[in-house]
Amino acid sequence: MIVKSGFPAIADQQTRLFILGSLPGERSLQELRYYAHPSNQFWKLVGAVVGEDLQSLDYAARLSALRRHKIGLWDVVSAARREGSGDQAIRYARHNDIGGLKLAYPKLRAIAFNGGLAAREGARLLSGIEGVTLHPLPSSSAAHARVPLADKARAWAVLRDYLQPKEL
């Protein structure tokens, strides 16, 4: 099995919300962009959260929209051995320093996990973190079609709460 490595974080000092996946799939790795597979529902789901049609934008404009809405993007796994794109095939994972996100991004209020593996590993790595709310979310992958898009969108809608400045 080949070792596959993820991408750097997409974020800036204004980031209030991070969405963490597991490890980019084959199509994303080939195209060097997050959530590149056309059947992945990530851009539709985040678009519903921010009230913009991100699906119709080019990749640079999508990333610009994330920054404008103070959303960061990264993965829990930095590198792993994996055949194909499925999380269940991830072996010998090395993790990104997600425990350092709050220090690196002081305005961070929440971390959302896109899918089960990201949520399990992320919760383990962030056990005891203070001042940041953790949200496990249904996977945006079309491989998880047993959860309809409308149900996923309702679950992801909780992220809207973190896009506005914190009220005092």
Side-chain angles (χ1 to χ4, degrees):
M1 276 189 273
I2 298 171
V3 173
K4 298 177 181 174
S5 298
F7 308 132
I10 306 289
D12 62 30
Q13 289 301 300
Q14 302 306 310
T15 299
R16 292 187 187 124
L17 165 69
F18 255 97
I19 302 174
L20 302 180
S22 54
L23 180 69
E26 290 298 310
R27 181 79 172 258
S28 291
L29 292 170
Q30 289 169 359
E31 296 185 22
L32 299 175
R33 53 191 188 110
Y34 282 102
Y35 302 102
H37 199 287
S39 68
N40 192 296
Q41 300 166 328
F42 179 84
W43 297 109
K44 288 180 184 176
L45 291 165
V46 175
V49 169
V50 301
E52 291 187 40
D53 179 10
L54 300 181
Q55 187 76 22
S56 67
L57 302 176
D58 66 31
Y59 187 63
R62 289 174 179 176
L63 296 184
S64 179
L66 290 181
R67 284 190 182 99
R68 191 171 55 256
H69 290 285
K70 300 172 180 26
I71 298 172
L73 192 56
W74 207 17
D75 288 302
V76 173
V77 176
S78 64
R81 294 186 182 276
R82 182 185 65 199
E83 289 291 331
S85 294
D87 285 355
Q88 71 281 359
I90 290 175
R91 303 286 182 268
Y92 309 107
R94 291 191 313 263
H95 298 94
N96 282 313
D97 180 20
I98 64 172
L101 288 176
K102 181 64 177 166
L103 184 61
Y105 302 96
K107 294 186 179 183
L108 184 64
R109 296 176 54 208
I111 298 173
F113 301 104
N114 183 3
L117 179 78
R120 282 188 306 278
E121 290 295 299
R124 182 180 64 77
L125 293 168
L126 293 170
S127 176
I129 192 169
E130 294 182 11
V132 176
T133 305
L134 306 180
H135 286 284
L137 298 170
S139 175
S140 65
S141 172
H144 295 89
R146 68 183 182 280
V147 179
L149 180 59
D151 291 348
K152 290 180 185 182
R154 276 190 291 282
W156 283 60
V158 69
L159 302 182
R160 287 186 192 116
D161 295 342
Y162 301 99
L163 302 182
Q164 302 304 318
K166 193 174 186 178
E167 292 184 22
L168 299 175

